[in-house]
Amino acid sequence: MTPRILLVDGAREALSAYERELASDYRVAIALDRDEALELCETAGPFAALVCDCAMPDSSAAELLARVHQSSPETVGILLAGCLELDRALAALRMAKPFAVLEKPCPAADLREVIGAALVEHGERVAMKKLRHELSFSSQVLARFNDRLDERVLDQARALARLHRFTGELNSCDSLQEICTLAAAAAREECGGRSALVELWSSAQPSPRRERCRSAAGGPFSARRHVQPIETQEGQIGSLVVDAEDERGRPLSRGERSLLGSIASSTAVAAFNQIRRRERDAAQQATILALARLAEKRDNETGKHLERVSRFCELIAEGMREDGWHQDLLGPSFVRDLVRSAPLHDIGKVGIPDAILLKPGKLTQDEWRVMKTHTELGAETLRSVIAQNPGQSFLEMSLDIAWCHHEKWDGSGYPRGLSGEAIPLSARILALADVYDALTSLRPYKEPWSHADSLAWILTGSGTHFDPRVVQSFARREQRAHAIREQLADTPEDLAGLFRGRLALAG
């Protein structure tokens, strides 16, 4: 079904322009003010998305978004605000918490992109509403039978409690494989110990890049099996398989089949959200990498420097965990944040003047003092981003890395002269990864060092420049680091672009 969008703007010309632009893809309704919009929501709603202009009298835009959200939480609000409408936009953010705020005038392409993301959010809200409805329905069924305290009702109560627990546990899963394992165990538990198998795919459409994962619970299967599809709004993304009969030949009961359907439905929602979260993380990481390249383009770093440093950091962090160091800290989320944060380590160099950053010769003492401020510039920039986006762990780690990756274990680094464990672990790992890549890479002012020479130099810095445990874990995996370096080696085109830029600056 074509998504339904409501556009609210006091300027009829703007409404007409947006309507013409969006009518080919969406069913569009328009309103000139708050009251007309509320009437449409009552008579023709609910809508998938509401696009509202901030420039309406008083705080009616904020009130409209808040009232629509209260009556129809699945409707996704989008606010259009101009530079002079900051107070109204802030009021709307406080009252209604819109999904996105776009600056006017808003290009049609940008509006389409945000509406597309809003429709994904709408789908997730509808799916969660459906899940809540199913759980609510199950609870109502239990309430109707409270007066019958026989064993059958008690069994249903236990099953519902397990299903509720299962749904909560799904929300904490970090991967499709974890969801598979949890769903298989739940199916086996709900079906009296029958063998169960869950398979999930990362897409409803077959492709060479489609990821598959599976998990089994219990022993071998019998000849007869019950297959429960795992489906989302985009199609089937997996299946849940259990033995159709238990060891005594008893078939699945109607209640067990219903529970399997609920497990499959909850699994589908969790898997769909996981897939979408990974897609959003990938898009976010691409944006971070693009921003980091802005700083890299102005410096001596070459083609795949950022990718290599991220991979080296991942290798070291996972190695330290395998070696038994900082196991309480070095979990999967820490490693993910480290990989995402590493490209931003030199973001502060954007604020260093070209005359210093690109100087081919040795820097003077005054110039070097300016150069060293890139750590504080980077930290200041990321601190302001965190203030606007609190609770983002990878941004907080990015700040630690940008600020502290030039600190040294013995306290002789900059900008604050931190030493030992006072230096954040993420920055200690990044420091070694960055130095190793710098040593082994070609620069306009030096030839690349060999892997062996670079490793020897790093080993001499253990306990002075570098955390000894970081050095130890890296040294144990130095051949894997060498393989990463060769896999992500700069191409002739990367190096040609670097030297062309240097020649142009020299000219």
Side-chain angles (χ1 to χ4, degrees), residues 474-490:
F474 178 79
R476 287 177 176 173
R477 295 157 185 86
E478 48 94 5
Q479 286 302 317
R480 289 163 61 185
H482 182 48
I484 292 171
R485 186 173 69 90
E486 291 189 329
Q487 178 188 3
L488 295 176
D490 293 321

Side-chain angles (χ1 to χ4, degrees), residues 110-166:
D110 291 352
L111 181 57
R112 278 180 174 276
E113 182 180 354
V114 172
I115 288 177
L119 292 178
V120 172
E121 174 70 14
H122 172 71
E124 294 179 356
R125 293 182 184 181
V126 170
M128 290 305 298
K129 179 181 179 181
K130 179 181 177 182
L131 179 59
R132 288 194 297 270
H133 177 74
E134 290 177 352
L135 292 174
S136 174
F137 176 75
S138 298
S139 298
Q140 291 171 11
V141 170
L142 177 63
R144 287 195 297 267
F145 285 91
N146 270 342
D147 58 332
R148 299 174 56 192
L149 299 179
D150 56 17
E151 188 62 29
R152 181 179 178 184
V153 173
L154 291 175
D155 288 344
Q156 289 293 323
R158 296 187 190 101
L160 288 170
R162 290 193 298 270
L163 182 60
H164 182 74
R165 182 196 67 204
F166 166 67

Side-chain angles (χ1 to χ4, degrees), residues 163-425:
L163 182 60
H164 182 74
R165 182 196 67 204
F166 166 67
T167 303
E169 291 172 345
L170 281 176
N171 293 331
S172 64
C173 289
D174 290 326
S175 68
L176 290 178
Q177 185 60 57
E178 288 185 37
I179 294 173
C180 266
T181 302
L182 193 62
R188 176 173 169 78
E189 183 179 18
E190 296 298 344
C191 294
R194 285 177 170 86
S195 297
L197 171 70
V198 174
E199 183 173 25
L200 287 174
W201 319 315
S202 61
S203 170
Q205 304 301 322
S207 73
R209 299 181 61 186
R210 183 166 74 169
E211 176 188 345
R212 287 176 174 268
C213 60
R214 59 189 297 163
S215 181
F221 281 88
S222 64
R224 296 186 59 201
R225 305 179 183 185
H226 172 80
V227 180
Q228 180 77 44
I230 298 175
E231 299 176 304
T232 71
Q233 59 193 24
E234 295 183 353
Q236 184 175 349
I237 61 167
S239 60
L240 189 164
V241 183
V242 297
D243 267 327
E245 297 178 348
D246 64 12
E247 296 177 350
R248 296 172 294 176
R250 182 181 65 85
L252 286 167
S253 68
R254 180 182 299 177
E256 288 170 333
R257 289 174 182 267
S258 177
L259 286 170
L260 288 175
S262 296
I263 291 172
S265 177
S266 299
T267 301
V269 171
F272 182 82
N273 290 340
Q274 180 68 222
I275 292 166
R276 288 291 173 264
R277 190 178 303 117
R278 285 165 54 177
E279 291 174 352
R280 288 195 296 269
D281 287 347
Q284 187 181 56
Q285 183 64 11
T287 302
I288 292 169
L289 196 58
L291 291 173
R293 287 196 187 283
L294 291 176
E296 185 188 36
K297 291 294 184 184
R298 301 185 60 243
D299 198 2
N300 287 322
E301 309 301 353
T302 56
K304 299 182 181 65
H305 167 70
L306 298 180
E307 292 90 335
R308 290 193 299 267
V309 169
S310 291
R311 291 282 300 278
F312 295 148
C313 285
E314 182 179 30
L315 175 68
I316 295 169
E318 291 181 344
M320 293 184 73
R321 182 174 60 201
E322 292 170 4
D323 294 342
W325 304 116
H326 302 291
Q327 290 185 327
D328 57 332
L329 180 61
L330 287 169
S333 60
F334 181 96
V335 177
R336 281 198 305 272
D337 285 345
L338 180 60
V339 171
R340 296 171 67 193
S341 302
L344 294 174
H345 64 279
D346 274 339
I347 193 69
K349 287 186 178 179
V350 171
I352 302 299
D354 285 351
I356 295 176
L357 186 66
L358 306 179
K359 183 177 179 179
K362 185 177 181 180
L363 298 179
T364 66
Q365 288 186 353
D366 289 340
E367 289 170 337
W368 181 238
R369 277 193 290 270
V370 174
M371 173 64 82
K372 291 197 293 186
T373 64
H374 81 274
T375 56
E376 292 169 313
L377 289 172
E380 182 180 346
T381 299
L382 290 166
R383 197 174 289 114
S384 66
V385 174
I386 291 171
Q388 299 297 321
N389 301 272
Q392 297 289 333
S393 58
F394 87 93
L395 286 176
E396 294 169 0
M397 185 178 290
S398 297
L399 189 153
D400 286 341
I401 287 173
W403 200 5
C404 303
H405 69 284
H406 283 294
E407 301 287 2
K408 296 183 179 180
W409 184 257
D410 64 1
S412 63
Y414 66 88
R416 292 180 292 164
L418 301 179
S419 63
E421 299 285 344
I423 307 169
L425 178 59

